[in-house]
Amino acid sequence: MMPENNEFLNSPPRKSVRFGGKVTEVLSKYSQGNKDDFELLKHQLSDPDIKDGQIINWLREFRISVTYLTIDYEQLVNIVLKLPWLNRSKEVVEEYLAFLGNLVSAQTVYLRPCLHMIVSNFVPARVVISEGDVHISDSEDEDDDMVARFNTCHRTLQMIAQYVPSAPRFLMPILVDKFPYIKKSPRVMECYVHNLLRITVYFPVIRLEILELIIEKLLKIDVNASRHDIEDAEENAWAATKDIGAAEEALFNMDEDEDLQQKSANIVRETMALPAAESLDLGLSVLFLYIKDICFQNGSFQLNKAKDLYKDLLAIFDKLILPTHASCHVQFIIFYICSFKLGLAEAFLEHLWKKLQNPNNAPIIRQTAASYMGSFLARAKSIPVVTVKACLDLLVNWIHGYIDNQDAGSRAFCDITFHGPFYAACQSVFYILIFRHKQLLEGNLRKGLCPFITYVFYQTLAEGPGFTRVYFIYFIYSLCVLLKDIDSIPHDSELHSEPPPTVPRHFKMGPPQQPTPLTLTFTAALPFSSAFHSTPLP
């Protein structure tokens, strides 16, 4: 029997076992038509049980041979790029980074494959669970080394950019191509968005494109996960939670006289019931944190950085958010950054006002701009009453001017499609007054604004052209429907005999800054967005 302290059995091998010659020799033989050693090399590199020592030895030889790794050896290089290097020892990681630096500097043809490999690691690693003949693949959320892997990936990108300054230009199409499908797990979406935003910190030249990519993908989720679907899913999940709580109460606490409803109210769900809503919520929450980190450093507001970021977000707002119908949540991004500084909020209002006034813009863009303006003025807590009154003056004067111009024209009749911006402006005025009337009528403003409200409601519409008088109450009614306060409003049929025209879908949508049902987004929006409280006019 062999002794237990046998040094040979208890000590690791001093050098890894390998077959074939050096990499330079293998490449030379391959160029001469001898492929045996080349195939053997590929087989050894593809071994799933490859050891750290073997990887280090191979990488050192490849570093010496990078000048020979032309496009003819693309298959071999791709195998090297698939090596599991991120979850290995520090020595392997450093050797691999050195190899990548040599490779992209000597053979720029491999820049895109290297970038593809790095971006592929921006999401949690995949794990495969086998149960019989069934193989289930999913993301490994509980990976303790995930943050370290992400840090190494960003370090690698910065290192490659030092060797190839044009790397960011080649990186952007890869980021678009690798963006997770909208039905991927919320955790995958959160990690990818987080890593994309990290890239903007050290590659600011592509920040606008990255932000546009993220917001475009989130918008697709937003319009496919309607507010109604999210609320229904949450109600169903809450009902199921209460049923489980009731069953547990009956089973384990039969002797205790607790209020089950109060107990259920203390249950806090960690995720949204609808997977798409969870993905959207996590993506937006990451964006909110990014915006705050850019605009604030050590608690101090950075005005210049905030302005630059605001300009990027405003450009994306005009290109993607403003023309998108039925978006309920993504627009909170622009509301969020405007809440940091009154100057940003006023700049946003001025931008919307110019959109509404400009007749060269499409009617749908103008009326959407009016809706955003009204919603922002009504709900934004950072907007003072003085600014609200000034904007109301602008809107009312524009409405009067529009009525005067149409009286003398050939289109002085009810055409909601043609006069959409006008109706949207009226709707915004009503919306602002319903939300802000208590503040507008407080203190010294009470005396001046009571005639003002009468002026808006009656002279602007009731004394305008016939079609505005006929459908005046109709638009008040549609607005109150949006505010869930329709019980006290008479139906249209009680006010006039003719039925109202078919209203375009834009007027049926809720205001852009309605409270969101998304958990994390609602928490972020709560400090700067006010809720509606029904109080009678004085």
Side-chain angles (χ1 to χ4, degrees):
M1 187 174 179
M2 296 184 65
E4 294 181 358
N5 59 350
N6 191 295
E7 295 182 2
F8 176 79
L9 294 178
N10 295 332
S11 61
R14 294 183 179 277
K15 58 187 299 185
S16 58
V17 180
R18 54 179 288 182
F19 302 94
K22 299 286 187 180
V23 171
T24 52
E25 298 173 359
V26 173
L27 298 180
S28 177
K29 290 180 180 179
Y30 180 80
S31 63
Q32 297 172 7
N34 187 348
K35 300 182 179 180
D36 293 340
D37 288 350
F38 187 79
E39 295 298 327
L40 180 60
L41 175 59
K42 292 196 301 181
H43 178 74
Q44 293 183 81
L45 290 171
S46 303
D47 183 5
D49 298 324
I50 190 170
K51 301 295 188 293
D52 286 7
Q54 291 174 303
I55 295 177
I56 291 174
N57 290 336
W58 287 123
L59 290 175
R60 287 173 179 171
E61 292 189 28
F62 275 109
R63 285 178 58 191
I64 300 172
S65 310
V66 289
T67 54
Y68 302 103
L69 295 176
T70 60
I71 193 62
D72 297 331
Y73 301 100
E74 182 180 10
Q75 187 179 14
L76 177 62
V77 173
N78 286 335
I79 293 175
V80 178
L81 292 178
K82 292 179 181 178
L83 286 172
W85 63 284
L86 280 170
N87 56 347
R88 298 282 179 157
S89 64
K90 182 179 179 180
E91 291 76 12
V92 173
V93 171
E94 296 300 327
E95 193 64 42
Y96 199 91
L97 290 176
F99 162 73
L100 289 178
N102 287 7
L103 181 65
V104 297
S105 59
Q107 303 288 347
T108 54
V109 68
Y110 294 115
L111 175 61
R112 284 190 179 90
C114 290
L115 295 177
H116 265 284
M117 179 271 297
I118 297 169
V119 175
S120 298
N121 288 287
F122 278 172
V123 295
R126 308 292 294 181
V127 293
V128 178
I129 303 173
S130 299
E131 296 182 2
D133 296 333
V134 180
H135 302 282
I136 303 173
S137 178
D138 199 0
S139 301
E140 186 178 6
D141 292 345
E142 303 299 330
D143 190 349
D144 296 335
D145 297 328
M146 186 174 60
V147 175
R149 291 206 314 270
F150 291 161
N151 291 337
T152 303
C153 288
H154 290 287
R155 177 188 169 195
T156 307
L157 283 177
Q158 295 176 72
M159 181 268 296
I160 289 177
Q162 292 178 353
Y163 290 103
V164 187
S166 60
R169 182 168 59 87
F170 293 93
L171 177 63
M172 195 60 220
I174 297 172
L175 297 178
V176 175
D177 182 63
K178 291 288 185 180
F179 203 98
Y181 183 55
I182 60 175
K183 292 189 177 180
K184 286 283 188 179
S185 71
R187 180 60 170 165
V188 170
M189 178 70 69
E190 179 188 19
C191 291
Y192 196 81
V193 170
H194 174 82
N195 283 308
L196 259 59
L197 292 174
R198 283 189 63 177
I199 292 176
T200 66
V201 176
Y202 53 85
F203 289 161
V205 68
I206 58 173
R207 182 174 75 174
L208 176 59
E209 296 174 82
I210 289 179
L211 288 172
E212 184 177 327
L213 170 63
I214 294 172
I215 292 175
E216 179 185 8
K217 298 299 183 180
L218 292 179
L219 269 174
K220 289 182 178 180
I221 302 176
D222 194 355
V223 297
N224 284 286
S226 67
R227 183 187 301 272
H228 178 73
D229 292 340
I230 295 174
E231 291 175 347
D232 282 352
E234 290 300 309
E235 288 178 4
N236 294 335
W238 180 247
T241 303
K242 287 172 60 178
D243 291 342
I244 294 174
E248 292 179 351
E249 180 78 9
L251 185 61
F252 298 106
N253 299 314
M254 294 178 9
D255 296 332
E256 297 181 7
D257 186 18
E258 288 187 84
D259 186 358
L260 180 59
Q261 184 176 1
Q262 180 65 31
K263 185 176 180 180
S264 299
N266 295 329
I267 300 175
V268 179
R269 298 186 62 255
E270 296 181 354
T271 60
M272 302 293 295
L274 196 66
E278 180 69 7
S279 295
L280 181 62
D281 199 19
L282 290 174
L284 288 175
S285 65
V286 173
L287 262 175
F288 287 147
L289 290 174
Y290 170 79
I291 293 172
K292 187 173 183 180
D293 286 346
I294 294 296
C295 296
F296 290 89
Q297 290 185 358
N298 299 324
S300 176
F301 182 70
Q302 305 294 313
L303 181 59
N304 291 332
K305 291 184 177 181
K307 284 182 178 179
D308 293 339
L309 181 58
Y310 166 78
K311 291 177 182 178
D312 288 345
L313 293 177
L314 188 65
I316 298 170
F317 174 83
D318 286 345
K319 183 177 180 180
L320 297 177
I321 301 177
L322 190 62
T324 300
H325 175 70
S327 171
C328 299
H329 310 97
V330 175
Q331 57 263 33
F332 277 88
I333 295 169
I334 193 75
F335 299 151
Y336 184 65
I337 191 171
C338 288
S339 68
F340 294 155
K341 195 75 173 178
L342 179 59
L344 297 178
E346 291 177 342
F348 182 57
L349 288 169
E350 182 181 3
H351 181 76
L352 294 173
W353 173 239
K354 290 179 179 178
K355 289 278 185 185
L356 171 62
Q357 288 187 101
N358 189 356
N360 295 322
N361 290 327
I364 187 64
I365 296 298
R366 297 175 67 192
Q367 64 193 57
T368 306
S371 297
Y372 271 96
M373 190 174 181
S375 180
F376 189 58
L377 284 168
R379 290 187 179 269
K381 294 180 179 179
S382 60
I383 304 295
V385 178
V386 175
T387 303
V388 175
K389 184 177 182 300
C391 291
L392 278 173
D393 287 337
L394 290 175
L395 285 169
V396 169
N397 288 331
W398 183 86
I399 290 170
H400 276 287
Y402 190 94
I403 292 174
D404 294 339
N405 292 334
Q406 294 301 318
D407 277 341
S410 59
R411 287 188 175 269
F413 56 87
C414 182
D415 187 344
I416 298 179
T417 303
F418 183 79
H419 300 294
F422 166 77
Y423 284 113
C426 295
Q427 192 179 54
S428 295
V429 170
F430 302 146
Y431 192 77
I432 295 168
L433 290 172
I434 289 173
F435 254 85
R436 291 275 195 163
H437 71 271
K438 187 175 181 180
Q439 298 174 7
L440 291 171
L441 299 176
E442 282 180 350
N444 296 329
L445 292 176
R446 178 184 295 272
K447 182 177 179 180
L449 281 176
C450 284
F452 172 72
I453 291 179
T454 305
Y455 191 65
V456 171
F457 274 88
Y458 294 99
Q459 290 188 12
T460 299
L461 293 176
E463 298 181 8
F467 69 91
T468 56
R469 182 168 57 252
V470 170
Y471 298 112
F472 162 56
I473 298 296
Y474 179 76
F475 283 94
I476 294 288
Y477 173 76
S478 65
L479 182 62
C480 291
V481 169
L482 298 176
L483 293 173
K484 313 294 186 185
D485 191 25
I486 63 175
D487 293 337
S488 60
I489 307 297
H491 194 268
D492 302 349
S493 59
E494 302 174 20
L495 302 172
H496 51 77
S497 57
E498 296 182 3
T502 301
V503 181
R505 59 181 182 174
H506 166 77
F507 289 104
K508 296 180 182 179
M509 289 302 300
Q513 202 171 338
Q514 276 188 308
T516 170
L518 301 180
T519 306
L520 298 176
T521 306
F522 176 79
T523 302
L526 193 61
F528 66 85
S529 184
S530 60
F532 175 68
H533 301 286
S534 180
T535 54
L537 283 168

